[in-house]
Amino acid sequence: RLSAPLRASYPGRPGHPARDTSALAQATAVLQGELEGIQAAGTWKSERIITSKQGPHISVEGSRGDILNFCANNYLGLSSHPAVIEAGVAALQQYGAGLSSVRFICGTQDLHKALEKKIAQFHEREDAILYASCFDANAGLFEVLLTPEDAVLSDELNHASIIDGIRLCKAQKYRYRHLDLDDLENKLKQAQSQRLRVIVTDGVFSMDGDVAPLRGLCDLAERYAALVFIDECHATGFLGERGRGTDELLGVMNRVHIINSTLGKALGGAAGGYTVGPKPLIDLLRQRSRPYLFSNTLPPPVVGCASKALDLLMASNQIAQSMAAKTKRFRSGMAQAGFTISGADHPICPVMLGDARLASQIAEDMLKRGIYVVGFSFPVVPRGKARIRVQISAAHSDDDIDRCVDAFRDVGRLHGVVP
């Protein structure tokens, strides 16, 4: 029970100043107005409840029967791979559920160091550092690397985590037009007086499925003495001959200096992110990167799952290589049906619809036909560019893909989107 003085000052109790109650009411009214505005704009994001493991076939609360999932980042189908699950269970039993600590206190186990070494080897870089997510990796990099004497040059459509990470640093900030090398060169010329210059881009842009022009970008970096950073969340594991990512795909692995990526998509799909690059940078991140220093270490089961996923990928590129044919099958079928698909040759296949309400309605009608997809609208994508982002997985069969295309054709005709 609270003492009398505490009862007198506790919110909601008699004697508490009226202004506090009115402040809460005012804040509630403001928040409610924002929520109503989202609903009125047709951009409300509902969360469906999955009652099964992640995979190409799932169970969804409120829906009957088998549902085909076409919107997960489960590119290689490893989220529920038996060997990945077994490795997670083994790590749980040997190392426990978690460390209850950050890395530098008592949160580093041998399996964390082994995974960092494996990631560095996978990307053919000097060293790697683990984070709780790639969002944290992006939040923790630029503030450490760059000072007011430096410059950062960022593609205008970079991921929100990159944008937020750049906001935290004090470097001079330049934003160049999406994929526009001429505009980037102009910005590089303006930044020549700065100490360091870092070009920052997504390897693959997650909303459009388009690939950064890394060859030309690296040419400019070398011409104007700049470092190159890429975020590889939607490339690691399946782009390039061995699944190393966009830099391997475009033949510039030795020209890209820093990579941030995730363990939460192709590499098991659980959680976690990382930075790979020069050892002095990684050493400095361990000393100063705030998300690394002040967040609990990755749980051992997550580390075990990711490590096994990398083992499978490094042992064979067969899974990664299967993605191209499956992606082409879906994109070709949708184009023949009359849909506009953004990007090119990437498993991210945005079905462009424009209107937010239309995207949401089509997604709901697709679920009624046993296909799980989600409408994307503002603020995730620009206003007027709503879409359904379909994502192809190596675990999808040809029959799965054909069934999805057929459902899109039927629902598209229902809404007058295709003939």
Side-chain angles (χ1 to χ4, degrees), residues 119-408:
I119 290 170
Q121 291 173 340
F122 178 79
H123 285 284
E124 300 178 8
R125 263 67 177 190
E126 291 181 2
D127 204 358
I129 180 174
L130 289 170
Y131 288 89
S133 68
C134 191
F135 202 112
D136 276 355
N138 285 335
L141 173 66
F142 304 105
E143 184 180 23
V144 173
L145 177 62
L146 301 173
T147 73
E149 300 177 53
D150 305 314
V152 57
L153 304 99
S154 178
D155 188 292
E156 65 180 349
L157 294 188
N158 277 337
H159 190 268
S161 61
I162 297 175
I163 295 170
D164 285 358
I166 289 174
R167 285 172 176 166
L168 292 172
C169 79
K170 296 180 180 179
Q172 299 298 308
K173 301 172 179 68
Y174 299 85
R175 186 173 65 176
Y176 64 91
R177 290 190 294 271
H178 183 49
L179 307 181
D180 189 331
L181 294 179
D182 290 335
D183 193 40
L184 172 59
E185 182 170 19
N186 289 333
K187 299 296 193 300
L188 282 165
K189 290 177 180 177
Q190 296 173 32
Q192 284 304 289
S193 63
Q194 304 304 125
R195 183 188 64 167
L196 296 177
R197 288 157 295 283
V198 181
I199 301 170
V200 176
T201 183
D202 277 310
V204 173
F205 292 83
S206 62
M207 289 298 110
D208 294 292
D210 44 6
V211 178
L214 291 185
R215 293 192 190 100
L217 192 148
C218 289
D219 289 343
L220 288 175
E222 291 164 5
R223 188 179 308 159
Y224 293 97
L227 297 171
V228 177
F229 163 95
I230 57 175
D231 181 309
E232 287 283 81
C233 286
H234 291 275
T236 299
F238 58 94
L239 283 193
E241 183 179 353
R242 301 168 299 156
R244 267 42 175 187
T246 313
D247 58 340
E248 182 185 48
L249 176 72
L250 298 177
V252 294
M253 287 190 73
N254 62 339
R255 303 172 71 192
V256 171
H257 306 99
I258 307 166
I259 293 175
N260 279 6
S261 194
T262 183
L263 306 173
K265 292 181 172 60
L267 301 182
Y274 57 84
T275 297
V276 292
K279 191 176 188 306
L281 171 63
I282 303 304
D283 288 343
L284 187 59
L285 291 173
R286 293 192 195 280
Q287 300 302 312
R288 292 184 178 172
S289 181
R290 293 168 70 85
Y292 180 81
L293 290 169
F294 297 104
S295 295
N296 266 18
T297 187
L298 274 181
V302 172
V303 177
C305 289
S307 184
K308 176 54 69 174
L310 276 171
D311 288 342
L312 294 172
L313 188 55
M314 289 192 286
S316 171
N317 67 350
Q318 183 177 357
I319 301 177
Q321 291 299 304
S322 72
M323 296 290 292
K326 295 176 188 292
T327 298
K328 183 177 180 180
R329 187 182 190 93
F330 178 80
R331 284 180 171 271
S332 297
M334 290 292 284
Q336 291 172 9
F339 287 96
T340 298
I341 308 298
S342 182
D345 304 326
H346 190 278
I348 293 174
C349 303
V351 182
M352 303 304 293
L353 298 167
D355 182 73
R357 289 185 183 277
L358 177 63
S360 179
Q361 290 166 356
I362 287 180
E364 289 301 318
D365 286 342
M366 289 289 287
L367 184 59
K368 295 174 184 176
R369 287 162 173 78
I371 309 293
Y372 190 115
V373 290
V374 172
F376 283 61
S377 57
F378 182 82
V380 180
V381 297
R383 297 184 192 276
K385 294 188 177 182
R387 68 201 64 186
I388 291 176
R389 188 183 70 176
V390 174
Q391 289 167 278
I392 306 301
S393 169
H396 286 132
S397 68
D398 287 349
D399 287 343
D400 293 339
I401 293 170
D402 293 345
R403 180 179 156 193
C404 182
V405 171
D406 289 342
F408 262 114

Side-chain angles (χ1 to χ4, degrees), residues 73-91:
N73 295 314
N74 186 24
Y75 291 111
L76 298 178
L78 297 181
S79 295
S80 299
H81 191 287
V84 173
I85 294 174
E86 183 179 352
V89 171

